[in-house]
Amino acid sequence: ETGVTQTPRHLVMGMTNKKSLKCEQHLGHNAMYWYKQSAKKPLELMFVYNFKEQTENNSVPSRFSPECPNSSHLFLHLHTLQPEDSALYLCASSPGSSGTETGELFFGEGSRLTVL
Amino acid sequence: GQSLEQPSEVTAVEGAIVQINCTYQTSGFYGLSWYQQHDGGAPTFLSYNALDGLEETGRFSSFLSRSDSYGYLLLQELQMKDSASYFCVKSSASKIIFGSGTRLSIRP
């Protein structure tokens, strides 16, 4: 149990579907992140939220739409995805506003997405 | 582009010592972290160095040299359960950037 919970753990969707990934953290942290992990590639930072405000969008295509209703919850809305978007999507949180004070991120187990 | 460099694979023997090196670009550098990730699992935090020197936590140690833009993770008394991917991670003013990861394989 990492304190960061992601659902669903596995998701298969067609290119025309709309789905959402959910992340919840029970650690009282102020910052939340979405990362993408593809095979044989480094973790790619997608979005950063500090105190519910988006502070980083790492040139992510608009078919990925994040939502942060409060400091404990983070969503990633998916629509008209491509097969190359198949990957493990990891949510993380950190105590500070950006996680740089200690370098420590707390990750969820990830949502394994397959786009057909 | 990639701002961190680390070996893609390392193989070691159970009970031995292994060192995983990492070099990074210095722009906006705050500190260097290390994470472990087992297959199918979440990355877990191991250590963080903001100042030069060695940080020791049990069998794992991490070193940083800011002047050389270099750090390493040292794993001692290797156990089979240490087989995993290890990521060096650069913290800057507003970002946490992961390296490509080093896959550590341990032989009996």
Side-chain angles (χ1 to χ4, degrees):
Chain A
E1 175 59 50
T2 64
V4 179
T5 305
Q6 290 187 242
T7 55
R9 293 294 309 278
H10 300 273
L11 178 63
V12 179
M13 60 187 290
M15 289 190 286
T16 58
N17 291 159
K18 289 185 180 181
K19 297 286 184 183
S20 295
L21 305 181
K22 179 182 176 182
C23 177
E24 184 174 359
Q25 57 99 357
H26 311 278
L27 302 169
H29 290 170
N30 297 316
M32 296 187 76
Y33 310 74
W34 280 116
Y35 280 86
K36 176 184 178 183
Q37 187 173 31
S38 305
K40 301 188 186 301
K41 282 185 155 184
L43 273 76
E44 301 171 56
L45 179 64
M46 300 176 71
F47 302 103
V48 181
Y49 279 81
N50 287 293
F51 298 95
K52 303 188 300 178
E53 299 298 321
Q54 187 181 123
T55 55
E56 184 78 26
N57 178 336
N58 203 25
S59 303
V60 180
S62 59
R63 59 185 183 271
F64 295 91
S65 174
E67 179 189 1
C68 188
N70 54 62
S71 294
S72 299
H73 293 85
L74 186 64
F75 295 88
L76 188 62
H77 303 299
L78 316 169
H79 61 99
T80 60
L81 294 192
Q82 305 297 312
E84 59 264 29
D85 296 323
S86 298
L88 181 69
Y89 288 86
L90 288 158
C91 173
S93 69
S94 65
S97 60
S98 62
T100 58
E101 293 85 359
T102 64
E104 185 169 7
L105 296 174
F106 294 76
F107 281 89
E109 297 288 330
S111 294
R112 173 72 62 186
L113 174 66
T114 302
V115 181
L116 301 177
Chain B
Q2 194 58 251
S3 62
L4 298 117
E5 295 290 337
Q6 58 181 123
S8 58
E9 294 181 14
V10 172
T11 300
V13 178
E14 189 176 15
I17 299 172
V18 72
Q19 178 174 313
I20 301 174
N21 298 320
C22 175
T23 57
Y24 59 87
Q25 294 181 1
T26 57
S27 60
F29 179 81
Y30 275 25
L32 195 71
S33 306
W34 290 91
Y35 284 75
Q36 178 193 63
Q37 185 180 28
H38 287 99
D39 287 346
T44 55
F45 174 81
L46 294 176
S47 67
Y48 176 70
N49 295 68
L51 302 175
D52 286 357
L54 191 68
E55 296 281 342
E56 298 181 64
T57 307
R59 295 186 296 114
F60 293 2
S61 303
S62 58
F63 172 82
L64 178 68
S65 169
R66 295 178 71 108
S67 60
D68 296 322
S69 301
Y70 163 76
Y72 66 72
L73 179 69
L74 189 73
L75 297 86
Q76 303 183 71
E77 301 173 21
L78 285 172
Q79 302 175 10
M80 297 304 293
K81 68 178 182 180
D82 298 328
S83 295
S85 292
Y86 292 85
F87 297 89
C88 62
V89 180
K90 171 186 159 183
S91 295
S92 61
S94 60
K95 288 187 179 183
I96 298 178
I97 305 298
F98 280 70
S100 300
T102 298
R103 186 164 188 86
L104 174 62
S105 299
I106 299 173
R107 297 182 283 111

